[in-house]
Each structure stands twice: as structure tokens, then as C-alpha cells.
């Protein structure tokens, strides 16, 4: 059974940093691209980042490019999202998803950016 | 960026009804269109991938169709557990983009 478990969320002040983690199990992690998607409270979904299975290439929308970094440790079956220079509009539930086409989702982790 | 226009935003229906939800892309997305169901407080669940492929374990009352810029999710006979919010996702090209969602409510 595919499982994705996110951790690392919380309350952070604007301008500060936070790093999310996602531990994967139930599939061969290093065979799959991975992604992060977020959902602001009461809002729709926004793709945040994707990374190739080797970690050699990464992709971001303009809204987070230069501030967020997706990475992975294939030996630890773990996906990361380093978020810098956080803004109030980054407040959302962040989901780890398998593939850029998001076939499986974690349960999500809440990030609140507020002073 | 490819814009996804989803309609309707809200839909009231009864158990047993046939409903359709639409997504229109701002350009050809070559059938790289997925549909998701989200219930309150839960993560989205993929129902359909690449326009018309049913995710394993999803009931056959869900189906998808479309091509080019226009795509449809059909639920042939609504069941009580189907009342939820539905989203489309295009993954033809980055940035991947979602529709704004359709909230399906019990009439």
C-alpha cells in the first residue's frame, strides 16, 4: 500500500523559513517523480514543485520559484520542501504527491505564516 | 500558463441522478487531464487519469471523456458517498494547473 506521510508544518513568521518532509513507503521511491501541492484554507489546489526520480531536475511555478526548493533522499525514501522567505499567502495545507500527475496523496501538513 | 476553467462551481443533485462536470483548458492539453474527489478534511483522491482511465478501486459509475481543450467527468448514478468537491488537473505542461473545483451537494 502506497503511503506518504508529511511532517514539519506549523506556525512561522513572515520572512522566516520552514522545511517539510514526506516519508514514502509501499513503492520503489527512486522510480518515481514526486511533487508538492498546496491548498489555502477554503480554496483550490495549487501545484508547488516537482522533482525527477533521480533528483536531477526540479520544476516550480513562478509563485514560489527562488523561494522554495524541492529535494529528495532516495536512500531514506524521503521528499523535502525547503520554504524560505515565507509570506502570508503561503499559508496552506501542503500535500506530498507521487508523480507530477498526483496519483497518490499524503494526508497533508498545515503551514501558517503569520506574525 | 494553461488556465483551467471548471464548471459549474456548485451543483445540487439527488441520489440516483446523472451529473456532469466540465473543465475547459486555455489550450490543447493532449488528454493529460485527471479528476479528483475531495471530501471535507481529507486529501484529494484521484478518480480518473489521462481523460478516461479509471483509477484502481474507483467505482465504474465514474467516467471521463474529452479531447483537445474540453473534458468531462460523469457520475452515472449518484450515491450518498459521492457528495464532495471535484477538481480537474492538467499535467500536459508545467506549471500543472487545477480547476477551481465543483462542490456537489445533496438537493
Amino acid at each position: 500500500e502506497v503511503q506518504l506521510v508529511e511532517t514539519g508544518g506549523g506556525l512561522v513568521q513572515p520572512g522566516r523559513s520552514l522545511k517539510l518532509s514526506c516519508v514514502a513507503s509501499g513503492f520503489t521511491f527512486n522510480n518515481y517523480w514526486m511533487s508538492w501541492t498546496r491548498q489555502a484554507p477554503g480554496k483550490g489546489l495549487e501545484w508547488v514543485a516537482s522533482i525527477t526520480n533521480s533528483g536531477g531536475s526540479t520544476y516550480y511555478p513562478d509563485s514560489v520559484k527562488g523561494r522554495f526548493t524541492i529535494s529528495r533522499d532516495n536512500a531514506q525514501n524521503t521528499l523535502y520542501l525547503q520554504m524560505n522567505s515565507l509570506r502570508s499567502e503561503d499559508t496552506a495545507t501542503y500535500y506530498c504527491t507521487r508523480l507530477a500527475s498526483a496519483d497518490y496523496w499524503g494526508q497533508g501538513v498545515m503551514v501558517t505564516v503569520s506574525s | 500558463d494553461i488556465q483551467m476553467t471548471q464548471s459549474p462551481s456548485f451543483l445540487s443533485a439527488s441520489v440516483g441522478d446523472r451529473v456532469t462536470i466540465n473543465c475547459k483548458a486555455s489550450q490543447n492539453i493532449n488528454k493529460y487531464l485527471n479528476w479528483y474527489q475531495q471530501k471535507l478534511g481529507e486529501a484529494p483522491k484521484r478518480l480518473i487519469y489521462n481523460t478516461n482511465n479509471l483509477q484502481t478501486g474507483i467505482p465504474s459509475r465514474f467516467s471521463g471523456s474529452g479531447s483537445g481543450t474540453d473534458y468531462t467527468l460523469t457520475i452515472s448514478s449518484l450515491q450518498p458517498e459521492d457528495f464532495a468537491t471535484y477538481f480537474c488537473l492538467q499535467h500536459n505542461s508545467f506549471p500543472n494547473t487545477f480547476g477551481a473545483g465543483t462542490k456537489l451537494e445533496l438537493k
Side-chain angles (χ1 to χ4, degrees):
Chain A
E1 180 193 5
V2 172
Q3 286 199 313
L4 301 168
V5 180
E6 304 98 333
T7 57
L11 174 63
V12 60
Q13 293 179 328
R16 303 299 291 265
S17 299
L18 200 63
K19 187 172 186 176
L20 306 181
S21 300
C22 169
V23 176
S25 61
F27 64 101
T28 304
F29 184 67
N30 61 12
N31 282 353
Y32 290 84
W33 286 43
M34 297 294 294
S35 300
W36 291 94
T37 296
R38 67 184 179 184
Q39 186 171 36
K43 302 295 186 182
L45 296 158
E46 181 186 16
W47 167 74
V48 170
S50 291
I51 187 167
T52 56
N53 54 320
S54 67
S57 295
T58 57
Y59 305 86
Y60 307 91
D62 288 345
S63 58
V64 307
K65 195 176 295 181
R67 299 189 299 124
F68 288 13
T69 302
I70 187 172
S71 62
R72 64 192 295 160
D73 181 341
N74 284 343
Q76 299 294 322
N77 288 355
T78 303
L79 178 73
Y80 301 102
L81 185 67
Q82 176 69 47
M83 303 184 292
N84 298 333
S85 304
L86 281 162
R87 306 167 180 167
S88 58
E89 56 264 36
D90 297 318
T91 294
T93 297
Y94 285 74
Y95 295 101
C96 167
T97 69
R98 193 177 77 165
L99 295 175
S101 60
D103 59 349
Y104 288 94
W105 298 59
Q107 84 287 352
V109 62
M110 185 68 200
V111 173
T112 303
V113 184
S114 174
S115 54
Chain B
D1 297 3
I2 298 174
Q3 310 303 317
M4 300 301 297
T5 302
Q6 186 171 343
S7 62
S9 299
F10 297 93
L11 184 55
S12 290
S14 302
V15 173
D17 283 355
R18 178 185 180 90
V19 300
T20 60
I21 298 169
N22 301 292
C23 268
K24 185 174 184 66
S26 58
Q27 62 191 74
N28 182 10
I29 56 171
N30 298 302
K31 297 192 171 186
Y32 289 109
L33 189 286
N34 298 348
W35 291 99
Y36 298 85
Q37 177 193 70
Q38 187 177 31
K39 297 182 178 178
L40 198 62
E42 297 183 7
K45 178 170 65 175
R46 194 170 75 170
L47 305 173
I48 301 282
Y49 63 97
N50 296 346
T51 296
N52 56 8
N53 296 281
L54 195 64
Q55 184 78 12
T56 302
I58 300 301
S60 59
R61 64 180 179 273
F62 292 92
S63 64
S65 63
S67 64
T69 60
D70 294 292
Y71 298 85
T72 299
L73 172 70
T74 299
I75 310 172
S76 60
S77 179
L78 276 172
Q79 298 302 300
E81 61 269 28
D82 299 337
F83 293 93
T85 299
Y86 294 83
F87 295 93
C88 63
L89 164 68
Q90 73 79 18
H91 59 100
N92 178 72
S93 60
F94 287 129
N96 291 355
T97 44
F98 289 87
T102 296
K103 187 172 184 180
L104 179 54
E105 299 178 324
L106 182 61
K107 187 183 289 184

Coordinates of all heavy atoms in Angstrom, one line a residue, chain A residues 6-83:
Chain A
E6 N 3.6 13.3 5.6 CA 4.2 14.6 5.7 C 4.4 15.0 7.2 O 3.5 14.8 8.0 CB 3.4 15.7 5.0 CG 3.1 15.4 3.5 CD 1.7 14.9 3.3 OE1 1.2 14.2 4.3 OE2 1.1 15.0 2.2
T7 N 5.5 15.7 7.4 CA 5.7 16.3 8.7 C 6.4 17.7 8.5 O 6.9 18.0 7.4 CB 6.6 15.4 9.6 OG1 7.8 15.2 8.9 CG2 5.9 14.1 10.0
G8 N 6.5 18.5 9.6 CA 7.3 19.7 9.6 C 6.5 21.0 9.5 O 7.0 22.1 9.5
G9 N 5.2 20.9 9.5 CA 4.3 22.1 9.4 C 4.3 22.8 10.7 O 4.8 22.4 11.7
G10 N 3.6 24.0 10.7 CA 3.5 24.8 11.9 C 3.3 26.2 11.6 O 3.1 26.6 10.5
L11 N 3.4 27.0 12.7 CA 3.2 28.5 12.6 C 4.6 29.1 12.5 O 5.5 28.8 13.3 CB 2.6 29.0 13.9 CG 2.4 30.5 14.1 CD1 1.5 31.1 13.0 CD2 1.9 30.8 15.4
V12 N 4.8 30.0 11.5 CA 6.0 30.6 11.2 C 5.8 32.1 10.9 O 4.7 32.4 10.3 CB 6.8 29.9 10.1 CG1 6.0 29.9 8.8 CG2 8.2 30.4 10.0
Q13 N 6.7 32.9 11.3 CA 6.5 34.4 11.0 C 6.9 34.7 9.5 O 7.7 34.0 8.9 CB 7.5 35.2 11.9 CG 7.0 35.1 13.4 CD 8.0 35.9 14.2 OE1 9.2 36.0 14.0 NE2 7.5 36.5 15.3
P14 N 6.3 35.7 9.0 CA 6.7 36.1 7.6 C 8.2 36.4 7.5 O 8.8 36.9 8.4 CB 5.9 37.4 7.4 CG 4.7 37.3 8.3 CD 5.2 36.5 9.5
G15 N 8.7 35.9 6.4 CA 10.1 36.1 6.1 C 11.0 35.0 6.6 O 12.2 34.9 6.3
R16 N 10.4 34.1 7.5 CA 11.2 33.0 8.0 C 11.1 31.8 7.1 O 10.5 31.8 6.1 CB 10.7 32.7 9.4 CG 10.7 33.8 10.4 CD 12.1 34.4 10.6 NE 13.0 33.4 11.4 CZ 13.2 33.5 12.7 NH1 12.5 34.4 13.4 NH2 13.9 32.6 13.3
S17 N 11.8 30.7 7.6 CA 11.9 29.5 6.8 C 11.3 28.3 7.5 O 11.1 28.3 8.7 CB 13.4 29.2 6.5 OG 14.0 30.2 5.8
L18 N 11.0 27.3 6.7 CA 10.4 26.1 7.2 C 10.7 25.0 6.2 O 10.8 25.2 5.0 CB 8.9 26.2 7.4 CG 8.2 25.2 8.3 CD1 8.6 25.4 9.8 CD2 6.7 25.4 8.2
K19 N 11.0 23.7 6.8 CA 11.3 22.6 5.9 C 10.3 21.5 6.2 O 10.1 21.0 7.3 CB 12.7 22.1 6.1 CG 13.1 21.0 5.1 CD 14.6 20.7 5.2 CE 15.1 19.8 4.2 NZ 16.6 19.6 4.2
L20 N 9.6 21.1 5.1 CA 8.7 20.0 5.2 C 9.4 18.7 4.8 O 10.2 18.7 3.9 CB 7.5 20.2 4.3 CG 6.7 21.5 4.5 CD1 5.5 21.6 3.6 CD2 6.3 21.7 6.0
S21 N 8.9 17.6 5.3 CA 9.4 16.2 4.9 C 8.2 15.4 4.6 O 7.1 15.5 5.1 CB 10.2 15.6 6.1 OG 11.3 16.4 6.4
C22 N 8.5 14.4 3.7 CA 7.5 13.4 3.4 C 8.2 12.0 3.3 O 9.0 11.9 2.4 CB 6.8 13.8 2.0 SG 5.8 12.5 1.3
V23 N 7.8 11.1 4.1 CA 8.3 9.8 4.1 C 7.4 8.9 3.3 O 6.2 8.8 3.5 CB 8.6 9.2 5.5 CG1 9.0 7.8 5.4 CG2 9.6 10.1 6.2
A24 N 8.0 8.2 2.3 CA 7.2 7.4 1.4 C 7.4 5.9 1.7 O 8.5 5.5 2.1 CB 7.6 7.7 -0.1
S25 N 6.4 5.1 1.5 CA 6.5 3.7 1.6 C 5.5 3.0 0.8 O 4.6 3.6 0.3 CB 6.3 3.2 3.1 OG 5.0 3.6 3.5
G26 N 5.7 1.7 0.5 CA 4.8 0.9 -0.3 C 5.1 0.9 -1.8 O 4.3 0.3 -2.5
F27 N 6.1 1.6 -2.2 CA 6.5 1.5 -3.6 C 8.0 1.8 -3.7 O 8.6 2.3 -2.7 CB 5.7 2.6 -4.4 CG 5.9 4.0 -4.0 CD1 6.7 4.8 -4.8 CD2 5.3 4.5 -2.9 CE1 6.9 6.2 -4.4 CE2 5.4 5.9 -2.6 CZ 6.3 6.7 -3.3
T28 N 8.6 1.6 -4.9 CA 10.0 1.9 -5.1 C 10.2 3.4 -5.3 O 10.0 3.9 -6.4 CB 10.5 1.0 -6.2 OG1 10.3 -0.3 -6.0 CG2 12.1 1.2 -6.4
F29 N 10.6 4.1 -4.3 CA 10.6 5.5 -4.2 C 11.5 6.1 -5.4 O 11.1 7.0 -6.1 CB 11.2 6.0 -2.9 CG 11.2 7.5 -2.7 CD1 10.0 8.2 -2.6 CD2 12.4 8.2 -2.6 CE1 10.0 9.6 -2.4 CE2 12.4 9.5 -2.4 CZ 11.2 10.2 -2.3
N30 N 12.6 5.5 -5.6 CA 13.5 6.1 -6.6 C 13.1 5.8 -8.1 O 13.8 6.2 -9.0 CB 15.0 5.7 -6.3 CG 15.2 4.2 -6.4 OD1 14.3 3.5 -6.9 ND2 16.3 3.7 -6.0
N31 N 12.0 5.2 -8.3 CA 11.4 5.0 -9.6 C 10.5 6.1 -10.0 O 10.0 6.2 -11.2 CB 10.7 3.7 -9.7 CG 11.7 2.5 -9.9 OD1 12.9 2.7 -10.0 ND2 11.2 1.3 -9.8
Y32 N 10.1 7.0 -9.1 CA 9.0 7.9 -9.3 C 9.4 9.4 -9.1 O 10.1 9.8 -8.2 CB 7.9 7.6 -8.3 CG 7.1 6.4 -8.7 CD1 7.6 5.1 -8.2 CD2 6.0 6.4 -9.4 CE1 6.9 4.0 -8.5 CE2 5.3 5.2 -9.7 CZ 5.8 4.0 -9.2 OH 5.1 2.8 -9.5
W33 N 8.9 10.3 -10.1 CA 8.9 11.7 -9.8 C 8.0 11.9 -8.6 O 7.1 11.1 -8.3 CB 8.3 12.4 -11.0 CG 9.1 12.6 -12.2 CD1 9.9 11.6 -12.8 CD2 9.2 13.7 -13.0 NE1 10.4 12.1 -13.9 CE2 10.0 13.4 -14.1 CE3 8.6 15.0 -12.9 CZ2 10.3 14.4 -15.1 CZ3 8.9 15.9 -13.9 CH2 9.7 15.6 -15.0
M34 N 8.3 13.0 -7.9 CA 7.5 13.4 -6.7 C 7.2 14.9 -6.8 O 7.9 15.6 -7.4 CB 8.2 13.0 -5.4 CG 8.5 11.6 -5.1 SD 7.0 10.6 -4.9 CE 6.4 11.3 -3.4
S35 N 6.1 15.3 -6.1 CA 5.7 16.6 -6.1 C 5.1 17.1 -4.8 O 4.8 16.3 -3.9 CB 4.6 16.8 -7.2 OG 5.0 16.4 -8.5
W36 N 5.0 18.4 -4.7 CA 4.2 19.0 -3.6 C 3.1 19.9 -4.2 O 3.3 20.5 -5.2 CB 5.1 20.0 -2.8 CG 6.1 19.3 -2.0 CD1 7.4 19.0 -2.3 CD2 6.0 18.7 -0.6 NE1 8.1 18.3 -1.3 CE2 7.2 18.2 -0.2 CE3 4.9 18.7 0.3 CZ2 7.4 17.5 1.0 CZ3 5.1 18.1 1.5 CH2 6.3 17.5 1.9
T37 N 1.9 19.8 -3.6 CA 0.8 20.6 -4.0 C 0.2 21.2 -2.7 O 0.3 20.6 -1.6 CB -0.3 19.7 -4.7 OG1 0.3 19.2 -5.9 CG2 -1.5 20.5 -5.0
R38 N -0.3 22.4 -2.8 CA -0.9 23.1 -1.6 C -2.3 23.5 -1.8 O -2.8 23.7 -2.9 CB 0.0 24.2 -1.2 CG 0.0 25.4 -2.1 CD 1.0 26.5 -1.6 NE 1.0 27.6 -2.5 CZ 1.8 28.7 -2.4 NH1 2.7 28.7 -1.4 NH2 1.8 29.7 -3.3
Q39 N -3.0 23.8 -0.7 CA -4.4 24.2 -0.7 C -4.5 25.2 0.4 O -4.5 24.8 1.6 CB -5.3 23.0 -0.5 CG -6.8 23.4 -0.7 CD -7.6 22.1 -0.8 OE1 -7.4 21.1 -0.1 NE2 -8.7 22.2 -1.6
A40 N -4.7 26.5 0.1 CA -5.0 27.5 1.1 C -6.4 27.2 1.7 O -7.3 26.6 1.1 CB -5.0 28.9 0.4
P41 N -6.6 27.7 2.9 CA -7.9 27.4 3.6 C -9.1 27.8 2.8 O -9.2 28.9 2.4 CB -7.8 28.2 4.9 CG -6.3 28.3 5.1 CD -5.7 28.4 3.8
G42 N -10.0 26.8 2.6 CA -11.2 27.1 1.8 C -11.0 27.4 0.3 O -11.9 27.8 -0.3
K43 N -9.8 27.1 -0.2 CA -9.5 27.4 -1.6 C -9.2 26.2 -2.4 O -9.3 25.1 -1.9 CB -8.3 28.4 -1.6 CG -8.5 29.7 -0.8 CD -9.6 30.6 -1.4 CE -9.6 31.9 -0.7 NZ -10.7 32.7 -1.3
G44 N -8.8 26.4 -3.6 CA -8.5 25.4 -4.5 C -7.1 24.9 -4.4 O -6.3 25.3 -3.4
L45 N -6.6 24.1 -5.3 CA -5.3 23.4 -5.2 C -4.3 24.1 -6.1 O -4.7 24.6 -7.2 CB -5.5 22.0 -5.7 CG -6.4 21.1 -4.8 CD1 -6.9 19.9 -5.6 CD2 -5.6 20.7 -3.6
E46 N -3.1 24.2 -5.7 CA -2.0 24.8 -6.4 C -0.8 23.9 -6.4 O -0.3 23.6 -5.3 CB -1.6 26.2 -5.9 CG -0.5 26.9 -6.7 CD 0.0 28.2 -6.0 OE1 -0.3 28.4 -4.8 OE2 0.6 28.9 -6.7
W47 N -0.3 23.5 -7.6 CA 0.9 22.8 -7.7 C 2.1 23.7 -7.3 O 2.2 24.8 -7.7 CB 1.1 22.3 -9.1 CG 2.5 21.8 -9.4 CD1 3.0 20.6 -9.0 CD2 3.5 22.4 -10.2 NE1 4.3 20.5 -9.5 CE2 4.6 21.6 -10.2 CE3 3.5 23.6 -10.9 CZ2 5.8 21.9 -10.9 CZ3 4.7 24.0 -11.6 CH2 5.8 23.1 -11.6
V48 N 3.0 23.1 -6.5 CA 4.1 23.9 -5.9 C 5.5 23.5 -6.4 O 6.3 24.4 -6.6 CB 4.1 23.7 -4.4 CG1 5.3 24.3 -3.7 CG2 2.8 24.3 -3.8
A49 N 5.7 22.2 -6.7 CA 7.0 21.8 -7.1 C 7.0 20.3 -7.5 O 6.2 19.5 -7.0 CB 8.1 22.0 -6.0
S50 N 7.9 20.0 -8.4 CA 8.1 18.6 -8.8 C 9.6 18.3 -9.0 O 10.4 19.2 -9.3 CB 7.4 18.2 -10.1 OG 6.0 18.3 -10.0
I51 N 9.9 17.0 -8.8 CA 11.3 16.6 -8.9 C 11.4 15.3 -9.6 O 10.5 14.4 -9.4 CB 12.0 16.5 -7.5 CG1 13.5 16.3 -7.6 CG2 11.3 15.5 -6.6 CD1 14.2 16.5 -6.2
T52 N 12.4 15.1 -10.5 CA 12.5 13.8 -11.2 C 13.0 12.7 -10.2 O 13.4 13.0 -9.1 CB 13.6 14.0 -12.3 OG1 14.8 14.5 -11.7 CG2 13.1 15.0 -13.3
N53 N 12.9 11.5 -10.6 CA 13.2 10.4 -9.8 C 14.6 10.4 -9.3 O 14.9 10.0 -8.1 CB 12.8 9.0 -10.4 CG 13.5 8.8 -11.7 OD1 13.5 9.7 -12.5 ND2 13.9 7.6 -12.0
S54 N 15.5 10.9 -10.1 CA 17.0 10.9 -9.6 C 17.2 12.2 -8.8 O 18.3 12.3 -8.2 CB 17.9 10.9 -10.9 OG 17.7 12.1 -11.6
G55 N 16.4 13.1 -8.9 CA 16.6 14.4 -8.2 C 17.4 15.4 -9.1 O 17.7 16.5 -8.6
G56 N 17.6 15.0 -10.3 CA 18.5 15.8 -11.2 C 17.8 17.1 -11.7 O 18.5 18.0 -12.1
S57 N 16.5 17.1 -11.8 CA 15.8 18.2 -12.3 C 14.6 18.6 -11.4 O 14.0 17.7 -10.8 CB 15.2 18.0 -13.7 OG 16.3 17.8 -14.6
T58 N 14.3 19.9 -11.3 CA 13.2 20.3 -10.5 C 12.4 21.4 -11.2 O 12.9 22.0 -12.1 CB 13.7 20.9 -9.1 OG1 14.6 22.0 -9.5 CG2 14.4 19.9 -8.3
Y59 N 11.2 21.5 -10.8 CA 10.2 22.4 -11.5 C 9.4 23.1 -10.5 O 8.9 22.5 -9.5 CB 9.3 21.6 -12.5 CG 10.1 20.8 -13.5 CD1 10.6 19.5 -13.1 CD2 10.5 21.2 -14.7 CE1 11.3 18.7 -14.0 CE2 11.2 20.5 -15.6 CZ 11.6 19.2 -15.2 OH 12.4 18.5 -16.1
Y60 N 9.1 24.4 -10.8 CA 8.3 25.3 -9.9 C 7.5 26.2 -10.6 O 7.8 26.7 -11.7 CB 9.3 26.1 -9.0 CG 10.3 25.4 -8.3 CD1 11.6 25.2 -8.8 CD2 10.1 24.8 -7.0 CE1 12.6 24.5 -8.2 CE2 11.1 24.1 -6.3 CZ 12.3 24.0 -6.9 OH 13.3 23.2 -6.2
P61 N 6.3 26.6 -10.1 CA 5.6 27.8 -10.6 C 6.3 29.1 -10.2 O 7.0 29.1 -9.3 CB 4.2 27.6 -10.0 CG 4.5 27.0 -8.7 CD 5.7 26.1 -8.9
D62 N 5.9 30.1 -10.9 CA 6.5 31.4 -10.6 C 6.3 31.9 -9.2 O 7.1 32.6 -8.6 CB 6.0 32.5 -11.6 CG 6.6 32.3 -13.0 OD1 7.6 31.6 -13.1 OD2 6.0 32.9 -13.9
S63 N 5.1 31.5 -8.6 CA 4.7 31.9 -7.3 C 5.7 31.5 -6.2 O 5.7 32.2 -5.1 CB 3.3 31.4 -7.0 OG 3.3 30.0 -7.0
V64 N 6.5 30.5 -6.4 CA 7.4 30.0 -5.4 C 8.9 29.9 -5.9 O 9.8 29.7 -5.1 CB 7.0 28.6 -4.8 CG1 5.5 28.7 -4.3 CG2 7.2 27.5 -5.8
K65 N 9.1 30.1 -7.2 CA 10.4 30.0 -7.7 C 11.4 30.9 -7.1 O 11.1 32.1 -6.9 CB 10.3 30.2 -9.2 CG 11.6 29.8 -10.0 CD 11.4 30.0 -11.5 CE 10.3 29.1 -12.1 NZ 10.1 29.3 -13.5
G66 N 12.5 30.4 -6.7 CA 13.5 31.2 -6.0 C 13.4 31.3 -4.5 O 14.3 31.7 -3.8
R67 N 12.2 30.8 -4.0 CA 12.0 30.8 -2.5 C 11.9 29.4 -2.0 O 12.3 29.1 -0.9 CB 10.7 31.5 -2.2 CG 10.7 33.0 -2.6 CD 9.4 33.7 -2.0 NE 8.2 33.1 -2.5 CZ 7.2 32.7 -1.7 NH1 7.4 32.7 -0.3 NH2 6.1 32.2 -2.2
F68 N 11.3 28.5 -2.8 CA 11.1 27.1 -2.4 C 12.1 26.2 -3.1 O 12.4 26.4 -4.3 CB 9.7 26.6 -2.7 CG 8.6 27.2 -1.8 CD1 8.8 28.3 -1.0 CD2 7.3 26.7 -1.8 CE1 7.8 28.9 -0.2 CE2 6.3 27.2 -1.0 CZ 6.6 28.3 -0.2
T69 N 12.5 25.1 -2.4 CA 13.4 24.1 -3.0 C 12.9 22.7 -2.7 O 12.8 22.4 -1.5 CB 14.9 24.3 -2.6 OG1 15.3 25.6 -2.8 CG2 15.8 23.3 -3.2
I70 N 12.6 22.0 -3.7 CA 12.3 20.6 -3.6 C 13.5 19.7 -3.7 O 14.4 20.0 -4.5 CB 11.2 20.2 -4.6 CG1 10.6 18.8 -4.3 CG2 11.7 20.3 -6.0 CD1 9.4 18.4 -5.1
S71 N 13.6 18.7 -2.8 CA 14.8 17.8 -2.9 C 14.3 16.4 -2.4 O 13.2 16.3 -1.9 CB 15.9 18.3 -2.1 OG 15.6 18.4 -0.7
R72 N 15.2 15.5 -2.5 CA 14.9 14.1 -2.1 C 16.1 13.4 -1.7 O 17.2 13.7 -2.1 CB 14.1 13.4 -3.2 CG 15.0 13.1 -4.5 CD 14.1 12.7 -5.6 NE 13.5 11.4 -5.4 CZ 12.4 10.9 -6.0 NH1 11.8 11.7 -7.0 NH2 11.9 9.7 -5.8
D73 N 15.9 12.4 -0.8 CA 16.9 11.5 -0.4 C 16.4 10.1 -0.7 O 15.6 9.5 0.1 CB 17.2 11.6 1.1 CG 18.3 10.7 1.6 OD1 18.6 9.7 0.9 OD2 18.8 11.0 2.7
N74 N 16.8 9.5 -1.8 CA 16.3 8.2 -2.2 C 16.7 7.1 -1.3 O 16.0 6.1 -1.2 CB 16.7 7.9 -3.6 CG 15.9 8.7 -4.7 OD1 14.9 9.2 -4.4 ND2 16.5 8.8 -5.9
A75 N 17.8 7.2 -0.6 CA 18.2 6.2 0.4 C 17.3 6.1 1.6 O 17.2 5.1 2.2 CB 19.7 6.5 0.8
Q76 N 16.7 7.3 1.9 CA 15.8 7.4 3.1 C 14.3 7.4 2.6 O 13.4 7.6 3.5 CB 16.1 8.7 3.9 CG 17.5 8.7 4.4 CD 17.7 7.6 5.5 OE1 16.9 7.3 6.3 NE2 18.9 7.0 5.4
N77 N 14.0 7.3 1.3 CA 12.7 7.4 0.8 C 11.9 8.6 1.3 O 10.8 8.6 1.7 CB 11.9 6.1 1.3 CG 12.3 4.9 0.6 OD1 13.1 4.9 -0.4 ND2 11.7 3.7 1.0
T78 N 12.6 9.7 1.3 CA 12.1 11.0 1.8 C 12.2 12.1 0.8 O 13.2 12.3 0.2 CB 12.8 11.3 3.1 OG1 12.8 10.3 4.0 CG2 12.2 12.6 3.7
L79 N 11.1 12.8 0.7 CA 11.0 14.0 -0.1 C 11.0 15.2 0.8 O 10.4 15.2 2.0 CB 9.7 14.0 -0.9 CG 9.3 15.2 -1.8 CD1 10.2 15.2 -3.0 CD2 7.9 15.1 -2.2
Y80 N 11.6 16.3 0.4 CA 11.6 17.6 1.2 C 11.1 18.8 0.4 O 11.1 18.8 -0.8 CB 13.1 17.8 1.6 CG 13.7 16.8 2.4 CD1 14.6 15.9 1.8 CD2 13.5 16.6 3.7 CE1 15.3 14.9 2.5 CE2 14.1 15.6 4.5 CZ 15.0 14.7 3.8 OH 15.6 13.7 4.6
L81 N 10.7 19.8 1.2 CA 10.4 21.1 0.6 C 10.9 22.1 1.6 O 10.4 22.3 2.7 CB 8.9 21.3 0.4 CG 8.5 22.6 -0.3 CD1 9.0 22.6 -1.7 CD2 7.0 22.9 -0.2
Q82 N 12.0 22.8 1.1 CA 12.6 23.9 1.9 C 11.9 25.2 1.5 O 11.9 25.5 0.3 CB 14.1 24.0 1.7 CG 14.7 25.2 2.3 CD 14.7 25.1 3.8 OE1 15.1 24.0 4.4 NE2 14.4 26.1 4.5
M83 N 11.2 25.9 2.4 CA 10.5 27.1 2.1 C 11.1 28.2 2.8 O 11.2 28.3 4.0 CB 9.0 26.9 2.5 CG 8.3 25.7 1.9 SD 6.6 25.6 2.4 CE 6.8 25.2 4.1

